[in-house]
Amino acid sequence: MAPPFSPICRPTSSALFFSLASKYKFLSSPSTLKNVNFLPIKPPPPVPIFPIQNRCLQSKSSPSSSSGEIHVIVGPMFAGKTTTLLRRIESESRDGRNVAIIKSNKDTRYGLDSIVTHDGLKLPCVALPNLSSFRQKFGADAYEQLDVIGIDEAQFFEDLYDFCREAADHDGKTVIVAGLDGDYLRKSFGSVLDIIPLADSVTKLTARCEICGSRAFFTLRKTEETRVELIGGADVYMPVCRQHYVSGQVVIEAAARIVVESQKVEFGSCV
């Protein structure tokens, strides 16, 4: 007789079956039950076996069958964040996984079609103004086939949190994010720190202090420019330790004050 519900999909070999045993075995001590007569026990009637059907309905908003991951790589400039990201992407690709790399179209230092590290490692990428346009740019079918998504210079993407959460939680993607955790003022840069609560792992890299050679955790800006987003290389930034960040900031601020004062003097003399 058919089950009392309508199957959504056909039962497979993995379907679970439940039944009761057709007879019981009793374990007892022969010495204590030597002269005891037992009444015959009838086995219980057979219980009909109903397979538990696997329901295969899946809504658009339901999570993917395989859960994703989020891995975050942070540190100051020249700490090897992009190198670490690209090596991880290469490793995933060698393991047979489909990969793609995204970078911000704000960074045009090495062109828009590739990511290049300071030591010359280079891989093709997709340059975008925001992450929400990636699926459309990459193609819906191609996106579904992706296993791993790398994001470089993640501090430039305002929608980083929403993209990573959606890709990992709902699409089953492994997302590897590389970016600055702090700006030149040692304040949170973009949304990189916002995704830490989402992350499976966080790697904090260090560079080498350009002044003393010790471990560098911070990025010192060499110029007087005060806007947060200022894309540049060794001509604008250098990695420094705590001691030389503090002393360097003092020197830069003092130099800036001298420049401002000299400009005021020149302007006054002209008037």
Side-chain angles (χ1 to χ4, degrees):
M1 183 174 179
F5 50 82
S6 299
I8 303 300
C9 63
R10 295 180 180 177
T12 64
S13 58
S14 63
L16 301 177
F17 296 88
F18 292 94
S19 65
L20 296 177
S22 59
K23 60 181 179 179
Y24 300 99
K25 292 184 179 180
F26 292 87
L27 299 178
S28 59
S29 172
S31 60
T32 59
L33 301 177
K34 184 175 181 180
N35 299 319
V36 179
N37 295 323
F38 289 98
L39 294 176
I41 300 175
K42 293 182 179 181
V47 177
I49 300 173
F50 296 104
I52 295 178
Q53 304 291 338
N54 294 321
R55 295 182 177 265
C56 298
L57 291 180
Q58 182 173 348
S59 64
K60 184 177 180 180
S61 61
S62 61
S64 173
S65 57
S66 60
S67 59
E69 301 174 7
I70 298 175
H71 302 281
V72 183
I73 305 165
V74 296
M77 291 192 65
F78 309 105
K81 299 182 300 298
T82 300
T83 300
T84 303
L85 169 65
L86 297 191
R87 286 176 178 170
R88 174 70 182 272
I89 292 294
E90 283 187 324
S91 176
E92 296 284 357
S93 180
R94 285 195 300 268
D95 290 341
R97 308 188 76 190
N98 297 320
V99 303
I101 310 175
I102 308 170
K103 79 168 187 177
S104 171
N105 62 1
K106 295 179 181 180
D107 188 356
T108 59
R109 287 174 295 174
Y110 305 106
L112 292 175
D113 60 346
S114 61
I115 292 179
V116 183
T117 66
H118 297 296
D119 55 4
L121 183 61
K122 181 177 180 179
L123 285 180
C125 72
V126 179
L128 298 172
N130 52 66
L131 294 169
S132 60
S133 60
F134 174 65
R135 188 193 295 259
Q136 180 181 1
K137 176 79 173 179
F138 200 70
D141 293 337
Y143 178 85
E144 292 300 323
Q145 299 300 317
L146 275 179
D147 300 306
V148 182
I149 302 172
I151 304 174
D152 193 36
E153 302 292 354
Q155 68 273 3
F156 294 131
F157 291 111
E158 296 180 358
D159 54 352
L160 179 66
Y161 182 93
D162 291 337
F163 178 85
C164 291
R165 181 183 59 184
E166 183 73 17
D169 292 357
H170 297 280
D171 300 337
K173 312 299 183 186
T174 295
V175 186
I176 308 173
V177 178
L180 293 167
D181 51 344
D183 60 15
Y184 77 103
L185 295 174
R186 298 190 298 183
K187 295 181 179 179
S188 177
F189 198 170
S191 301
V192 174
L193 296 184
D194 293 340
I195 66 171
I196 299 299
L198 300 175
D200 294 72
S201 70
V202 179
T203 303
K204 171 80 170 182
L205 300 177
T206 60
R208 184 176 294 276
C209 179
E210 196 170 297
I211 298 174
C212 67
S214 60
R215 296 175 69 188
F217 296 92
F218 312 112
T219 302
L220 182 67
R221 182 179 287 180
K222 300 177 181 179
T223 69
E224 301 169 10
E225 179 62 57
T226 58
R227 57 193 171 107
V228 174
E229 289 189 8
L230 178 63
I231 297 175
D235 57 327
V236 180
Y237 299 101
M238 67 178 184
V240 290
C241 64
R242 185 179 300 274
Q243 176 186 350
H244 289 108
Y245 176 86
V246 174
S247 60
Q249 284 293 102
V250 171
V251 170
I252 291 173
E253 290 171 2
R257 285 195 297 270
I258 293 173
V259 170
V260 171
E261 292 298 327
S262 63
Q263 290 175 346
K264 289 180 180 179
V265 171
E266 292 177 1
F267 179 77
S269 61
C270 292
V271 174

